Amino acid sequence: MDNRSAAVVGTGLIASGMATLFAANGYRVKLLGTRAESCERCRRSIEENFAELVEEGILQPAWVRDYLRNISFTTSCGDLGGESFVLEAVLENLEVKHAVYRALEEHCPPETVIASATSALSPDELARPLRRKERLIVAHPWNPAHLIPCVEVVRSADTSRETLDTVCRVMESLGREVVVLRRSIEGFIGNRLQHALYREALYLVEQGVATPRDIDRAVLSSFGPRFSSVGVLEYYDSCGLELQKGVQTYLYPTLCGAEGPQEPLLRALAEGKRGPVSGAGIYEWDAEHRKEFRRRKSKPFFPCFTFRRPEES
């Protein structure tokens, strides 16, 4: 990459988080949005990310002013013409993403790497309309993207080694923990594991085994903390494989096998409960809960935020 510069396409949470991280690590960042209003909303989100880090004592206000000067906004794809690395973080919709890629191919140099932040879409499907398929790759960060270090990197059948090396180098320069999948699969690694847990948790609610709050308490006071310091398969192996065989023999037939959205989810949606955005979902979400939840969600990852102290002028 030339002189630590990057472009981010999109103005949502992942885009604002990655722009925060790029800027704090010395990159000049151009954000491409569809409208001035969405760009302004993204700017406020970035400022909120930095304000939280200042409040935690991780950054100094003077540094943040320098970081913010590294970020510019545009609604014209033509303004990205000099970028050699672009992170795409638009809607999880193939048609929308394909339109973005066609515009990028028109305006960016042939060597430009396009890294999609998609959380599940196949890189082969993403690359389908491109002339330079070898330059596209998936680099899936987690929300909040400026704090959680994991980035899942997934190649298409056409992705070149050079593109893979570039995206790994860029993400590692941001202090990210890069996980390269050997092949693409729906949901990649993290979302498959996460949704397997969601499915069983909702099943326990549906079966009247326990309340949502007690299910969450069980996780928070048992394997939740455990898996912050040891790996899932590492722990599985440590228990002994004979034991695991016995447990799987009697337990697996009783686990949830739902192949689509589950009844507790569908019932909540039918009642107009969509989560924090509507004030209720499985939990009630007032303003105080939303604020307190955001801090609890972020707190374990504050030490993972990487940054460069700006040069003293």
Side-chain angles (χ1 to χ4, degrees):
M1 286 186 60
D2 179 36
N3 199 25
R4 295 180 75 86
S5 67
V8 177
V9 182
T11 54
L13 288 175
I14 293 295
S16 62
M18 289 304 296
T20 301
L21 189 64
F22 272 120
N25 283 275
Y27 282 80
R28 291 179 290 104
V29 191
K30 291 180 181 177
L31 271 103
L32 174 65
T34 55
R35 303 182 312 279
E37 295 83 356
S38 62
C39 289
E40 184 56 33
R41 186 172 61 250
C42 183
R43 185 194 305 276
R44 291 195 299 270
S45 181
I46 293 168
E47 290 171 349
E48 288 173 4
N49 291 340
F50 281 129
E52 185 177 54
L53 292 163
V54 169
E55 185 178 337
E56 290 296 318
I58 296 169
L59 301 178
Q60 295 183 15
W63 301 352
V64 171
R65 288 192 289 272
D66 281 334
Y67 298 149
L68 290 173
R69 283 194 285 268
N70 285 340
I71 303 172
S72 60
F73 293 84
T74 183
T75 56
S76 172
C77 192
D79 289 338
L80 308 186
E83 299 303 326
S84 58
F85 185 89
V86 180
L87 181 80
E88 169 271 303
V90 301
L91 293 173
E92 290 286 78
N93 178 292
L94 274 174
E95 290 185 6
V96 173
K97 291 181 184 292
H98 286 169
V100 168
Y101 301 157
R102 283 191 287 265
L104 290 173
E105 277 201 320
E106 180 181 348
H107 293 286
C108 294
E111 67 273 12
T112 297
V113 168
I114 303 172
S116 175
T118 181
S119 61
L121 295 176
S122 161
D124 292 289
E125 282 299 305
L126 292 172
R128 183 164 39 83
L130 297 186
R131 298 190 304 274
R132 297 185 291 273
K133 292 179 173 60
E134 72 280 2
R135 309 304 290 174
L136 184 132
I137 193 167
V138 167
H140 169 232
W142 287 68
N143 186 35
H146 62 297
L147 296 179
I148 299 181
C150 181
V151 175
E152 296 174 304
V153 172
V154 193
R155 291 166 285 186
S156 76
D158 297 296
T159 303
S160 70
R161 181 71 202 194
E162 181 184 7
T163 296
L164 173 65
D165 290 344
T166 296
V167 77
C168 289
R169 184 170 64 251
V170 170
M171 293 301 147
E172 287 167 357
S173 77
L174 302 173
R176 302 304 86 186
E177 186 74 26
V178 179
V179 178
V180 180
L181 276 66
R182 291 183 174 180
R183 68 177 182 88
S184 178
I185 188 170
E186 292 82 352
F188 312 141
I189 298 172
N191 270 324
R192 292 184 72 89
L193 296 176
Q194 199 168 228
H195 280 269
L197 180 59
Y198 293 160
R199 179 170 65 177
E200 190 62 31
L202 283 177
Y203 180 70
L204 294 175
V205 172
E206 184 180 7
Q207 295 299 306
V209 173
T211 66
R213 192 171 299 277
D214 277 342
I215 291 169
D216 284 351
R217 288 175 63 201
V219 172
L220 290 169
S221 60
S222 63
F223 62 82
R226 170 186 290 153
F227 291 135
S228 69
S229 59
V230 300
V232 172
L233 290 178
E234 182 183 28
Y235 181 77
Y236 176 93
D237 202 26
S238 76
C239 293
L241 298 186
E242 293 87 353
L243 172 64
Q244 299 295 7
K245 180 182 178 182
V247 171
Q248 290 181 11
T249 299
Y250 74 79
L251 181 60
Y252 275 21
T254 74
L255 294 177
C256 179
E259 296 182 353
Q262 294 164 266
E263 181 56 32
L265 168 62
L266 296 174
R267 185 168 60 249
L269 289 173
E271 295 171 358
K273 297 178 178 180
R274 297 183 292 135
V277 69
S278 66
I282 293 171
Y283 281 84
E284 297 295 322
W285 292 91
D286 58 22
E288 184 177 349
H289 184 193
R290 291 197 300 270
K291 181 178 179 181
E292 187 262 347
F293 172 78
R294 170 174 170 148
R295 190 175 188 287
R296 278 191 291 120
K297 182 178 72 170
S298 297
K299 185 177 180 180
F301 298 103
F302 284 132
C304 302
F305 182 75
T306 61
F307 60 94
R308 288 187 170 193
R309 180 171 176 165
E311 295 284 340
E312 295 290 343
S313 57

